[in-house]
Amino acid sequence: MEQIVINGGKRLEGEVYVSGAKNAAVAIIPAAICANDICVIENLPYIEDVDGLTKAMTQIGAVCTQRDDNTLEIDSRNITNCCATYESVRQIRASYYLLGALLGRFGEAEVPLPGGCDFGVRPIDQHIKGFTALGATIDIEHGMIRARADKLVGTNIFLDVVSVGATINIMLAAVYAQGTTIIENAAKEPHVVDAANFLNMIGARVKGAGTDVIRITGVQKLHGGTYTIIPDQIESGTYMVAAAITGGDITVRNVIPKHMESVISKLSEMNCQISTGEDYIRVRGGGNLRCVNVKTMPYPGFPTDLQPQMMALLCKGHGTGILTETVWENRFQYINELKRLGANIKVDGRTAVVQGDARLTGAQVNATDLRAGAALVIAGLAAKGETIIGNVRYIDRGYERIEEKLSSLGADIKRINREV
Ligand code: EPU
């Protein structure tokens, strides 16, 4: 059983390079199915979710060749199997993109109901609504979702909730559909735009990604190509928060500052000093952090995937902060673990009231999901003494070499393999 051990209290300093965006990567790998050709995907993060999805692609018959840790060649010409097995996708939420991509290309797909991090009900009704509107028939039986269509025809789809997954999945299903599909109330996240840019690179006609109306005009044929994934917004934010909580001075490189505006704004409000260049953000923590209120929202709002890390940071600010989670119904499960480190947080429904000036001290804790794991690392960096974090596999799903990157900034952090 692997654990991360942190001796907290070190000020972090230096430069860190951000990896490619997980949530773009897990959409673009299945999107390569649509190409029916060879695609080379660069700047992939070296993380468990990418590895898992690559295995699932292989299982359905794509030939995946790892050129190096961050570059994958996918040859989707000989896919013979439209059915992903439970074993190949059970831990990956993004397996649902196989559904849209296979349905779009073959008119047929069978994929297990998605797994992934557990923070309450994670419905996919909007994906299904989109596929059905395009002309597919959907059945859910024995834990599998089956989609079939003789023909997909473009139509108007208004999403009832802003959903990243449904927006991308409908784009994937619609690339070959006859006529034009219009997604209204679409998600605007950077990874939605990245997936659309990838599809356009292979010959699709997707317009409007990044706004709340996306138009996809079906084409007859797509082709291969080489595509570079954007930097990870959430990994960038995690290192920015690490700078803030340790009173450090970190330059986060290979970022798109525009994607970080909501985070820059909150950290500035907390008294961090921030400067940006074309592809970097420098965060200086200083000693006078103050608590603020944060509400998570779809992009360009403050990302829910940075809510736990921000919670850890608020513990060290002066005063009281209120954190409201509006995207997921139950994303506060990790707070009990933060409390073991000394956090003083009261939860009422989707609102958490954080009492700042907490005296954090190291303890043994467990990651309850990916970003919860990141929050425990952040808190551990500021806690006095030794923090031991279990369930590291969650963290590995989304962070490339987190302990190496933090060590290079001066953190006392290591991974150990403890016998159970
Ligand atoms: N929702 C529905 N019906 C649907 C789909 C979503 O009601 O059919 C609701 C959800 O219950 C949730 C909200 O809509 O309340 C937003 O869900 P969304 O579909 O946008 O989430 P997702 O696509 O399943 C992606 C990321 C998550 C991130 C969310 C929100 C991937 C693989 N995952 O999930 O990332 O939290 O968008 O930005 O892209 C993470 O990286 O740690 C992570 C969990």
Side-chain angles (χ1 to χ4, degrees), residues 23-46:
N23 289 342
V26 296
I28 289 172
I29 292 171
I33 293 171
C34 303
N36 191 13
D37 200 355
I38 299 174
C39 294
V40 177
I41 306 171
E42 299 175 332
N43 200 33
L44 278 173
Y46 188 65

Side-chain angles (χ1 to χ4, degrees), residues 22-23 26 93-94 96-97 119 121-127 161-165 189 191 304-305 327-328 331 370-371:
K22 166 179 100 72
N23 289 342
V26 296
R93 179 81 192 154
Y96 51 43
Y97 292 134
F119 22 81
V121 187
R122 296 185 71 175
I124 56 161
D125 57 299
Q126 298 303 304
H127 305 228
V161 290
V162 178
S163 161
V164 169
E189 268 67 6
H191 31 288
T304 171
D305 295 341
V327 177
W328 295 111
R331 209 179 191 174
L370 164 60
R371 308 303 173 186

Side-chain angles (χ1 to χ4, degrees), residues 318-347:
H318 301 309
T320 305
I322 298 175
L323 225 160
T324 310
E325 171 61 54
T326 76
V327 177
W328 295 111
E329 65 167 19
N330 188 11
R331 209 179 191 174
F332 284 151
Q333 285 140 316
Y334 66 90
I335 287 178
N336 281 338
E337 298 299 295
L338 269 188
K339 284 184 179 170
R340 292 174 53 72
L341 298 175
N344 184 350
I345 303 168
K346 286 200 174 59
V347 175

